[in-house]
Amino acid sequence: MTDPLEQLRRCSVAVDVGSSRTRVHIKQAGLVVDEPSVVAVNTFSGALIAVGTAADRMDGRTPGHIRVIRPVCNGTVIDIEMAQRMLRALVGSTVRRAWRRRGAMQRAAVTIPHNADPLARRAAIETLTGVGARQVELVDTPTAAGVGCGLPVEQPEATMILVCGATTTQIAVLSLGAIVSATTVPMGGDTIHHAVIQHLRNHHELILPSQAVRPLHLALTGGADAPETTEVWGRDVATGMARTVCINPDDVRAAIEAPLIGLSDAIRGVLHNCPPDLVADLADRGMVLAGGSALLPGLDTRLRSGTGMPVHIAEHPSLSAVNGLAAMVEGQIRPLGAEVH
């Protein structure tokens, strides 16, 4: 991590552009942006109507001439122009003037998926340069999240982290500041959300609004406080009228079992590709869950039973990546052996 760390210490802005939320950290100023990665656009004029939280609240409630756009998917920028407009609006003109005055945007660091292809890397660079950065450093999201969780990623020992995002989960084993083995699974918070909605549509002929899925979250934990049945409301598929149904949590758990099994299988695949010495390190240490979807009810318990490994949830899982990137930018991470000199 020596050369990359030296480059990162020269950066003054750390950006984590995720499918769900965008976060911006300015050196010596802290976290200045933490908003949903959403924009609302007038399709007639092309003007931005809202960004962030305000645009997210419009999703599913807009008239025909307003379009809600999510310019980031699977942790990758898919609409560079909209991503640039979103960042400009989120940081505000006051912060941008401060960047120019202090030269803060000469260098910026941004997180990217560990398996990002050249086009995805280019899209991340162009998004930041379009906002004013002259040089952009790319950091793998699992590495940044590992640092943000306080894991000794720069040491010659194994650390395993799962970055649970909205649409994907990145699984990585880190050692000596680099990824030893990793994979990405198309399973995230939105996957569970859509599985629940599809189950209710198929078995109860009910279309749920987004907010109606939340009462089922507690039911999915399976703990002592979980209710035996949960009442949800939605729109009847046949009549179009609103009605309520009582849902058995066991049926919902069965509906989300397939993606969770796939996640456990992917974890075993990552371990299979690791050297035996690193796997031995992880036997007692286990894995750490980061990312906004790490707090999905019952996820840690399910992974613990499916893999037989200890599972820990980061203290602030949704901020792990940006906090780790900020620590690198602030110079809080030292390469192995730096203290000897």
Side-chain angles (χ1 to χ4, degrees):
M1 290 178 70
T2 51
D3 291 338
L5 275 178
E6 184 61 32
Q7 296 295 327
L8 287 170
R9 292 192 193 100
R10 299 177 184 177
C11 298
S12 296
V13 177
V15 183
D16 177 28
V17 183
S19 304
S20 176
R21 299 184 74 86
T22 293
R23 299 175 175 91
V24 179
H25 173 100
I26 297 182
K27 198 170 187 176
Q28 299 178 350
L31 191 67
V32 297
V33 173
D34 185 0
E35 294 280 344
S37 304
V38 188
V39 295
V41 182
N42 187 317
T43 57
F44 293 154
S45 63
L48 282 185
I49 297 177
V51 295
T53 302
D56 193 35
R57 293 178 58 189
M58 295 181 182
D59 196 11
R61 302 171 180 267
T62 60
H65 69 282
I66 298 178
R67 182 184 174 197
V68 175
I69 301 174
R70 299 182 183 271
V72 185
C73 181
N74 298 334
T76 301
V77 176
I78 58 174
D79 190 331
I80 296 175
E81 180 185 356
M82 283 300 169
Q84 291 174 347
R85 297 176 69 181
M86 178 185 71
L87 274 177
R88 292 193 196 101
L90 288 177
V91 300
S93 58
T94 303
V95 176
R96 290 203 304 274
R97 283 195 296 268
W99 287 352
R100 298 189 187 99
R101 185 168 57 251
R102 299 187 310 179
M105 280 301 285
Q106 298 296 321
R107 290 175 179 265
V110 62
T111 58
I112 58 170
H114 73 91
N115 59 346
D117 57 31
L119 288 178
R121 291 173 177 267
R122 186 64 185 172
I125 293 173
E126 289 189 9
T127 298
L128 269 294
T129 54
V131 180
R134 296 189 179 181
Q135 185 168 344
V136 179
E137 301 293 338
L138 305 178
V139 179
D140 291 332
T141 300
T143 303
V147 173
C149 293
L151 300 177
V153 298
E154 75 281 2
Q155 299 297 320
E157 54 190 54
T159 55
M160 187 173 194
I161 186 164
L162 274 68
V163 184
C164 309
T167 55
T168 61
T169 295
Q170 299 181 60
I171 308 167
V173 174
L174 309 172
S175 179
L176 289 173
I179 295 177
V180 178
S181 176
T183 189
T184 298
V185 182
M187 199 290 292
D190 289 351
T191 309
I192 302 298
H193 182 90
H194 294 151
V196 173
I197 290 180
Q198 192 63 38
H199 169 79
L200 292 177
R201 182 186 180 104
N202 293 340
H203 294 81
H204 299 275
E205 297 184 349
L206 198 70
I207 300 178
L208 292 188
S210 299
Q211 298 81 359
V213 181
R214 295 175 183 173
L216 292 170
H217 286 180
L218 179 60
L220 290 175
T221 61
D225 296 334
E228 294 183 0
T229 59
T230 302
E231 186 178 83
V232 295
W233 65 272
R235 189 183 71 189
D236 189 277
V237 174
T239 66
M241 302 295 292
R243 67 181 176 92
T244 61
V245 295
C246 290
I247 306 299
N248 187 337
D250 291 336
D251 295 338
V252 180
R253 293 190 198 101
I256 66 175
E257 186 68 14
L260 293 180
I261 291 176
L263 181 58
S264 298
D265 291 342
I267 293 173
R268 287 190 284 269
V270 169
L271 293 175
H272 182 75
N273 293 326
C274 285
D277 291 344
L278 295 183
V279 177
D281 291 343
L282 296 173
D284 296 328
R285 184 174 299 161
M287 68 188 79
V288 176
L289 304 185
S293 298
L295 298 176
L296 281 172
L299 178 60
D300 55 338
T301 304
R302 179 63 181 80
L303 291 178
R304 193 177 296 115
S305 62
T307 62
M309 297 175 59
V311 179
H312 313 280
I313 300 177
E315 185 176 357
H316 301 290
S318 60
L319 299 177
S320 297
V322 70
N323 285 345
L325 194 59
M328 297 178 187
V329 168
E330 299 279 1
Q332 299 174 5
I333 306 299
R334 293 286 183 269
L336 183 66
E339 62 275 7
V340 177
H341 301 291

